Amino acid sequence: MEKDNPYLIAKATVFNKKSFVFYNISRLRELIRYLPPKKFELFNTIPFLLHINSPKFTGYMENHANAYGIYGFNDSGFWRLTLKRFNLSEGEMISYTSRLYCIKGLYLMGSSGTIAQTNYSDFDYWVIVDDKTVTKEQLTILNKKLDVVKKWSEANYSQSVNFFIMGINQLKENNFSSVDEESSGSSQRTILKEEFYRTFIMIGGKIPYWAVLPVGLDDASYKKWIKLAKIAKHHEFNSEDYIDLGNVAHISTNECIGALIWQIYKAHHDPVKAFMKSSVVANYYQNTEETLMCDIIKKKFSQNNLESNYLTDPYVIVFEKIINFYKNSFNEDDLELAKTCIFLRLSGYPISFKIDENSPKLMLINKYIKEWYWDEEKIYDLKNYIEWGEAKHKKFEDDILIKINKLYEQMLDKSNPILDMSKSDITILKNKIKSFTEEKENKIPFASAYLRAIAPELSFFITCQYDERLHGLWTVYDERKGKKQSGQIFFIGHFLLEFIGWIILNGFVETKKKIEVNNYPISGKRIIKFIDEVSSFFSDKNHINWELSQPVFNKMIILLNTIQDKDSYDKILNSCDFLIKNSWSELYFESINLTKVENQILKCYEIAVIMWKYFKNSSGNIYEYKFVRLDAGIEDNTRKTVEDFLFQFKNENFDKDITLNISMLKEEDNPTIFDEEDEWIEEENSFLLDNF
């Protein structure tokens, strides 16, 4: 029988390899279809840069330790095409290649090469190394090389590129890295493996055995086939050309709850994609006997022309699975939300782009519109989602988050869940979710995920209506639409630091800005520089700790606001604004009016009380704060007096009102000044609460 005959297994593997290769080529063609010429150039160049180590090219490592080179890459079309583009010969490059091949496989996964790909799709590469032989030094150097290529790609091609180094045995055991912005850590194991096999495109290296073995093998049969294939003698089969990354026979239901927690977090960045992935997870949880989607795709490897048969596309399989899942739930609202998300995903959400007239993507959109009986108003609204306005975008995203939370709660209700995640990953993910979902007093809100995603394409028009009593109104518009269109207002606030906090929190520091101010102490140009300085002060990531059960406050900007006294013409302190960051990277804003406070010492006391409210539970760490003022007309000992109060509060474990000590030394204070003549003037020393 074939399953026990090494030669027949090798023969079947060679036959299946041809189907996989044709399918892989078809996926590459689809990927190229949606790539602009500049990004196509980058796509061809990246594997070349990982294969070589030349001082003439990006990614060169002087002490390389052979941490480069892709197995079999010299026989690939990528290699030949790139040599031709750079007008190089193989002979010229031979000394810059390594026959040790640190990289055993290079695969692109995700939406690239599928019907869901857009001009803005990330390049997510899995870089496979042999974790039995690779050294720590090689991993360190390879990481550095990949980081250089990543930053170069983003800087020169405006393309987001992510590299995930995976060990062969690590993948076999479904053991993925710890949680960060891009990696789900232990929250997904078989789920991530299934997605990889369902969507991966082979760029270079060895062919995964999974792709050339029969559909539906259990783990024991999978291992047996590989074992027999390796001892086979067949002239077209070389076991060195294949790699065992492990099987995926079923989805562990213990992973599903953790996977949904991960998607709740990811909804903060891309709610439409998170909804779809959550729906896939929920379907696997409820329908444990269903054929895995990666196996459905593998059955179609022989149907290798995605252009003529787009229904075999990996994402079309996902779309159909999601629609059937919600049809079977008999909830029309959920089904309609699913259809809306599918339509927006095909339309490029969150970034709009023109779809080619005769592309499979447009054919599928038209097919769905006809099947779903949508009216013209619905279609027009969804096609013009970029015109929704910030409030509608946030409402839509909130609806998605509510639905994902319901899926999560339904899982909890149906079983006594066993979370197949490390305790650390659970804590980190839950805290990250809290940081963007929980509303708290004085907490600066996030903008919509849509607005944050399109920020690089935006230009803000910012106005400030202001009078000398510091009653201001800061409004952020879409400059492309003009300030008269109220639907394109992104933010309204009453204070400069509040507005700056919103800019920093949402990653808008680099977004183009035009500021128009009315009677403000400093110009729009200086405000933009002030934004950069405040952002720089808060940029240190050493204070971030997601594993704390509750965040602690560790950084603060204190802005001293003054007005001119009508009698003496002196500058007097009339209000104080605070921008505070905690160990979860949340930002809080608070302001106090000091016009009715009797004297300067009492004003300093009020400032110290606010500072202590945030810092009192943060002992044992380093806490930084900086005093800033917008004009140079005030000379007082504000900072020193405030610090004396803080010292007193700390020593007396201050929680409520205490007797004021007004005999404190009065020394000339020099808070940071920011005016038209001087930019941010740095203090000689940063101020650390632990110094008291």
Side-chain angles (χ1 to χ4, degrees):
M1 293 178 64
E2 180 182 274
K3 65 180 181 179
D4 296 317
N5 187 315
Y7 177 82
L8 293 179
I9 285 177
K11 183 179 179 181
T13 301
V14 170
F15 178 83
N16 292 338
K17 174 187 173 182
K18 292 176 181 177
S19 295
F20 168 71
V21 169
F22 281 124
Y23 170 80
N24 199 65
I25 291 171
S26 180
R27 289 284 306 281
L28 284 168
R29 285 174 178 163
E30 284 303 293
L31 187 152
I32 293 167
R33 173 200 295 274
Y34 299 111
L35 282 182
K38 193 76 173 171
K39 292 190 177 183
F40 173 64
E41 176 185 290
L42 173 67
F43 173 69
N44 278 299
T45 304
I46 286 175
F48 175 79
L49 297 178
L50 304 191
H51 185 61
I52 65 163
N53 191 56
S54 167
K56 296 179 181 179
F57 289 94
T58 300
Y60 172 68
M61 296 285 115
E62 186 173 0
N63 299 312
H64 56 76
N66 286 304
Y68 65 99
I70 304 169
Y71 178 89
F73 192 72
N74 285 31
D75 298 323
S76 72
F78 285 101
W79 174 250
R80 293 188 293 273
L81 184 63
T82 311
L83 289 178
K84 183 178 180 180
R85 182 160 63 85
F86 289 121
N87 196 25
L88 298 168
S89 68
E90 287 202 53
E92 288 177 85
M93 297 306 297
I94 193 167
S95 61
Y96 302 116
T97 61
S98 170
R99 289 291 178 179
L100 297 178
Y101 305 126
C102 180
I103 299 171
K104 308 304 180 186
L106 181 67
Y107 314 111
L108 196 64
M109 75 161 289
S111 63
S112 295
T114 74
I115 209 160
Q117 179 183 329
T118 71
N119 294 347
Y120 303 93
S121 293
D122 292 356
F123 290 168
D124 290 335
Y125 290 96
W126 281 22
V127 183
I128 312 301
V129 298
D130 188 343
D131 39 7
K132 287 185 177 180
T133 60
V134 71
T135 66
K136 289 183 179 179
E137 181 188 17
Q138 285 180 309
L139 284 176
T140 299
I141 294 170
L142 181 58
N143 259 310
K144 288 180 180 178
K145 184 179 182 73
L146 296 176
D147 190 53
V148 169
V149 174
K150 171 185 171 69
K151 291 176 180 176
W152 172 80
S153 302
E154 293 171 352
N156 292 277
Y157 293 87
S158 300
Q159 174 64 43
S160 177
V161 176
N162 301 299
F163 294 106
F164 302 95
I165 300 177
M166 304 280 188
I168 296 172
N169 291 287
Q170 175 190 1
L171 272 174
K172 279 185 186 179
E173 297 167 5
N174 302 322
N175 177 23
F176 300 103
S177 57
S178 59
V179 169
D180 58 26
E181 292 300 313
E182 297 296 337
S183 174
S184 56
S186 61
S187 66
Q188 301 182 104
R189 298 178 188 271
T190 56
I191 290 172
L192 191 55
K193 175 74 76 64
E194 188 278 328
E195 183 185 358
F196 170 71
Y197 280 146
R198 177 180 6 118
T199 65
F200 87 97
I201 298 175
M202 181 174 166
I203 305 299
K206 303 186 177 189
I207 299 175
Y209 268 113
W210 176 90
V212 294
L213 294 186
V215 173
L217 293 179
D218 59 31
D219 290 342
S221 299
Y222 171 86
K223 292 175 182 177
K224 184 176 181 180
W225 272 69
I226 293 175
K227 183 178 179 180
L228 292 172
K230 285 181 177 180
I231 62 173
K233 293 182 179 180
H234 189 285
H235 67 285
E236 292 185 71
F237 178 78
N238 179 6
S239 63
E240 288 298 311
D241 293 337
Y242 300 86
I243 189 169
D244 178 12
L245 301 179
N247 191 35
V248 55
H250 67 280
I251 299 298
S252 170
T253 55
N254 289 342
E255 292 177 29
C256 292
I257 293 174
L260 274 189
I261 295 174
W262 172 249
Q263 292 307 328
I264 292 171
Y265 164 65
K266 294 297 285 184
H268 176 56
H269 305 282
D270 189 334
V272 168
K273 185 191 290 188
F275 172 83
M276 297 179 65
K277 290 195 173 187
S278 297
S279 303
V280 168
V281 170
N283 178 71
Y284 277 138
Y285 185 81
Q286 294 186 20
N287 303 291
T288 56
E289 300 302 318
E290 275 193 354
T291 302
L292 298 182
M293 284 187 286
C294 62
D295 283 336
I296 294 174
I297 294 295
K298 187 158 67 167
K299 286 178 181 178
K300 299 177 183 292
F301 277 179
S302 58
Q303 303 171 24
N304 52 65
N305 192 338
L306 291 180
E307 182 171 359
S308 61
N309 188 12
Y310 60 85
L311 297 179
T312 64
D313 182 280
Y315 263 80
V316 177
I317 303 299
V318 171
F319 296 157
E320 294 301 316
K321 187 71 69 174
I322 291 171
I323 290 170
N324 288 332
F325 173 71
Y326 286 109
K327 279 182 178 178
N328 294 332
S329 71
F330 303 105
N331 186 313
E332 287 299 320
D333 290 339
D334 290 349
L335 178 59
E336 194 63 21
L337 181 59
K339 292 175 180 177
T340 297
C341 286
I342 289 170
F343 183 91
L344 291 175
R345 188 80 173 95
L346 287 168
S347 301
Y349 186 93
I351 301 175
S352 177
F353 75 107
K354 185 178 180 180
I355 302 173
D356 293 340
E357 284 289 331
N358 298 314
S359 70
K361 189 189 296 280
L362 188 59
M363 292 167 61
L364 183 62
I365 288 175
N366 291 334
K367 172 180 178 291
Y368 282 151
I369 288 174
K370 185 176 180 180
E371 288 179 356
W372 296 341
Y373 299 103
W374 278 355
D375 58 36
E376 290 298 322
E377 184 179 355
K378 170 87 171 181
I379 297 167
Y380 179 84
D381 181 56
L382 291 181
K383 283 185 176 180
N384 291 277
Y385 64 84
I386 61 173
E387 304 292 341
W388 281 0
E390 179 69 352
K392 187 171 180 178
H393 276 294
K394 292 191 79 170
K395 171 66 168 59
F396 173 65
E397 292 169 12
D398 287 344
D399 289 345
I400 288 177
L401 191 58
I402 289 169
K403 178 55 193 173
I404 299 175
N405 271 310
K406 283 183 179 178
L407 292 174
Y408 174 71
E409 290 167 1
Q410 288 167 1
M411 283 190 190
L412 294 180
D413 290 342
K414 288 185 178 181
S415 64
N416 295 315
I418 301 174
L419 274 176
D420 189 12
M421 291 174 65
S422 70
K423 289 183 179 179
S424 174
D425 283 351
I426 293 172
T427 300
I428 290 171
L429 276 181
K430 287 189 173 181
N431 287 344
K432 286 188 173 187
I433 291 167
K434 285 182 182 178
S435 74
F436 74 82
T437 57
E438 283 189 346
E439 295 182 3
K440 295 180 182 177
E441 185 180 5
N442 301 325
K443 184 178 174 182
I444 292 178
F446 281 99
S448 67
Y450 167 79
L451 185 59
R452 284 181 276 116
I454 67 169
E457 313 294 322
L458 276 176
S459 180
F460 288 153
F461 182 73
I462 301 155
T463 65
C464 174
Q465 301 299 321
Y466 167 84
D467 65 38
E468 67 174 5
R469 294 291 166 181
L470 292 180
H471 296 297
L473 186 66
W474 294 86
T475 309
V476 181
Y477 301 89
D478 184 347
E479 188 183 28
R480 301 170 302 176
K481 305 296 180 183
K483 66 179 182 178
K484 292 183 180 180
Q485 294 192 25
S486 60
Q488 294 301 327
I489 292 176
F490 297 138
F491 172 84
I492 297 177
H494 291 279
F495 302 92
L496 174 60
L497 273 189
E498 179 188 17
F499 151 68
I500 291 176
W502 182 82
I503 289 286
I504 293 171
L505 179 71
N506 290 291
F508 299 146
V509 174
E510 300 299 325
T511 302
K512 294 177 183 177
K513 305 172 191 70
K514 179 182 178 182
I515 299 182
E516 183 181 279
V517 294
N518 180 21
N519 296 326
Y520 205 70
I522 60 175
S523 68
K525 182 179 178 181
R526 294 301 187 191
I527 289 171
I528 289 175
K529 291 186 177 181
F530 187 36
I531 291 171
D532 291 338
E533 294 294 346
V534 175
S535 174
S536 178
F537 177 76
F538 285 121
S539 64
D540 181 11
K541 294 185 179 181
N542 292 331
H543 295 292
I544 298 174
N545 188 342
W546 290 105
E547 297 193 50
L548 296 174
S549 59
Q550 291 296 326
V552 294
F553 292 94
N554 47 43
K555 281 203 165 191
M556 180 184 293
I557 291 284
I558 306 104
L559 176 60
L560 305 174
N561 301 306
T562 63
I563 60 171
Q564 191 173 51
D565 185 79
K566 291 182 178 179
D567 298 324
S568 66
Y569 298 102
D570 292 333
K571 293 282 188 177
I572 60 173
L573 184 63
N574 77 316
S575 69
C576 185
D577 301 333
F578 305 83
L579 187 61
I580 316 101
K581 182 180 179 181
N582 66 23
S583 56
W584 287 0
S585 292
E586 297 172 322
L587 284 176
Y588 287 71
F589 171 80
E590 192 162 346
S591 180
I592 55 173
N593 190 325
L594 301 172
T595 54
K596 295 183 179 180
V597 179
E598 185 177 345
N599 58 50
Q600 184 69 13
I601 289 181
L602 289 175
K603 290 178 180 180
C604 293
Y605 171 80
E606 295 295 337
I607 293 171
V609 167
I610 298 295
M611 293 178 67
W612 185 247
K613 178 177 76 172
Y614 288 97
F615 285 154
K616 65 183 179 181
N617 295 322
S618 301
S619 60
N621 297 303
I622 296 178
Y623 320 100
E624 298 179 56
Y625 58 89
K626 186 178 286 292
F627 284 84
V628 182
R629 65 174 186 258
L630 298 179
D631 63 80
I634 180 173
E635 292 290 344
D636 62 23
N637 64 341
T638 304
R639 193 201 83 210
K640 178 63 172 65
T641 306
V642 170
E643 289 177 347
D644 286 338
F645 276 124
L646 288 173
F647 182 77
Q648 188 177 356
F649 294 167
K650 183 173 183 179
N651 286 343
E652 300 188 22
N653 196 23
F654 171 69
D655 192 44
K656 297 182 180 179
D657 290 343
I658 63 171
T659 303
L660 297 188
N661 178 0
I662 61 173
S663 63
M664 295 177 291
L665 293 175
K666 296 183 178 181
E667 298 179 3
E668 184 176 353
D669 184 13
N670 292 297
T672 301
I673 300 169
F674 189 82
D675 60 18
E676 289 302 302
E677 300 300 325
D678 299 299
E679 298 178 13
W680 183 304
I681 301 173
E682 297 290 349
E683 297 285 351
E684 292 184 4
N685 301 298
S686 60
F687 309 116
L688 309 179
L689 189 56
D690 270 4
N691 289 344
F692 297 136

